[in-house]
């Protein structure tokens, strides 16, 4: 398992890249967006919103509560699907793949 400092640094980079790409939302999601039933909340929000409102907060919560990280991650694989053909998002995809590789 990776150390929390490594994971924390990766999350900071992912957030910064979402902001750089203009994918970071200043306004919160509608409450019903959290009523998702599909992986990565594909049925209620864009992947970038899932990263901001679900993924990043969950990772931060694990770090802050000193809980164990999951044994694997597929966020990078999903990013490849979501951002296929979007050259501007290449660095974000690389960061998410690197996150997966930590586990």
């Amino acid at each position: 398992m990776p150390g929390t400092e490594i994971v924390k640094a990766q999350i900071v980079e992912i957030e910064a890249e979402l902001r750089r790409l203009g994918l970071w939302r200043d306004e919160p999601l509608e409450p019903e967006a959290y009523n998702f039933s599909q992986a990565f909340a594909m049925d209620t929000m864009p992947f970038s919103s899932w990263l901001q409102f679900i993924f990043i907060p969950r990772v931060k919560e694990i770090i802050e509560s000193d809980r164990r990280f999951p044994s694997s991650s597929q966020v990078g694989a999903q990013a490849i699907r979501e951002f296929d053909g979007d050259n501007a998002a290449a660095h974000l995809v690389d960061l998410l793949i690197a996150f997966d590789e930590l586990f």
Side-chain angles (χ1 to χ4, degrees):
M1 277 293 128
T4 56
E5 292 305 315
I6 292 170
V7 176
K8 190 183 299 185
Q10 193 70 17
I11 288 297
V12 166
E13 286 191 59
I14 291 167
E15 181 176 331
E17 188 62 10
L18 284 167
R19 289 178 185 277
R20 188 190 71 76
L21 291 169
L23 298 174
W24 193 264
R25 294 174 50 123
D26 291 327
E27 66 281 348
L29 292 173
E30 297 295 325
E32 55 270 8
Y34 292 94
N35 295 328
F36 55 89
S37 60
Q38 295 182 4
F40 306 103
M42 291 173 45
D43 54 336
T44 63
M45 66 183 79
F47 182 63
S48 58
S49 293
W50 178 83
L51 289 169
Q52 178 181 351
F53 294 104
I54 307 295
F55 174 70
I56 291 173
R58 283 185 182 168
V59 172
K60 288 179 177 181
E61 179 187 336
I62 291 170
I63 291 168
E64 291 168 8
S65 64
D66 200 30
R67 293 192 343 243
R68 292 192 63 175
F69 291 108
S71 59
S72 66
S73 173
Q74 296 296 313
V75 70
Q78 185 64 25
I80 291 169
R81 289 183 205 97
E82 293 287 334
F83 296 112
D84 184 37
D86 184 352
N87 292 335
H91 185 60
L92 176 61
V93 172
D94 289 344
L95 289 170
L96 293 166
I97 290 169
F99 183 89
D100 283 355
E101 292 172 352
L102 293 174
F103 303 93

